[in-house]
Amino acid sequence: MNVRNWIIGGIFLLAVVGLGSYLFTNPAGLFRQLFIIAITVAIVLLIFRLVSNRLPSRRERNAFAKAARQSKLRAKRRKSQMKAKSHLRNRPLRRRSTAHLTVIEGKKSKKKDRAIF
């Protein structure tokens, strides 16, 4: 880890020396280059935001993750309850569904597009 710190420090020192010499020899070129870099970063961030707006929102992802956690906890509880009750009776009276679903907020009022037979 000590060698890595020396390497990073050396690279940082060379960068500072290079920028300082470039500032003294061609200050207009340095500022122009920094301006171009700033514009490029702004364009990349703008494109990233446009693309990320099309992805599901953070609120929806958090709601889905919460529903998945609750579903796992519910499944664990049922499993432990079934193990505790298994010695009382050998066969369950009725078979329960293995689907553990939780409703996530969304477009509930959207009409379904189905063909009527």
Side-chain angles (χ1 to χ4, degrees):
M1 185 137 168
N2 195 13
V3 174
R4 188 182 326 164
N5 289 341
W6 280 102
I7 292 172
I8 291 173
I11 291 172
F12 185 71
L13 182 67
L14 288 174
V16 168
V17 169
L19 280 175
S21 67
Y22 198 59
L23 180 64
F24 284 116
T25 58
N26 189 7
L30 176 65
F31 290 121
R32 185 178 60 217
Q33 193 171 10
L34 289 175
F35 182 69
I36 291 171
I37 290 171
I39 289 175
T40 305
V41 168
I43 290 172
V44 168
L45 285 176
L46 181 67
I47 291 172
F48 178 75
R49 284 193 178 174
L50 289 174
V51 170
S52 67
N53 283 341
R54 294 183 183 165
L55 297 175
S57 69
R58 178 179 290 176
R59 186 175 180 188
E60 290 178 11
R61 284 182 276 154
N62 288 344
F64 179 78
K66 182 179 177 184
R69 281 193 303 270
Q70 287 176 348
S71 176
K72 285 180 184 179
L73 287 174
R74 197 175 305 118
K76 282 183 181 179
R77 279 192 220 123
R78 283 188 182 169
K79 226 180 222 185
S80 65
Q81 287 174 355
M82 291 301 281
K83 284 181 181 178
K85 291 180 180 180
S86 65
H87 71 278
L88 295 177
R89 57 181 171 186
N90 293 336
R91 190 168 76 76
L93 297 176
R94 66 181 174 127
R95 189 172 286 250
R96 291 188 179 181
S97 172
T98 59
H100 309 290
L101 304 175
T102 302
V103 176
I104 301 172
E105 292 182 21
K107 298 177 183 177
K108 296 182 180 103
S109 63
K110 184 179 176 185
K111 293 189 177 189
K112 296 180 181 174
D113 186 22
R114 286 195 216 166
I116 299 174
F117 294 101

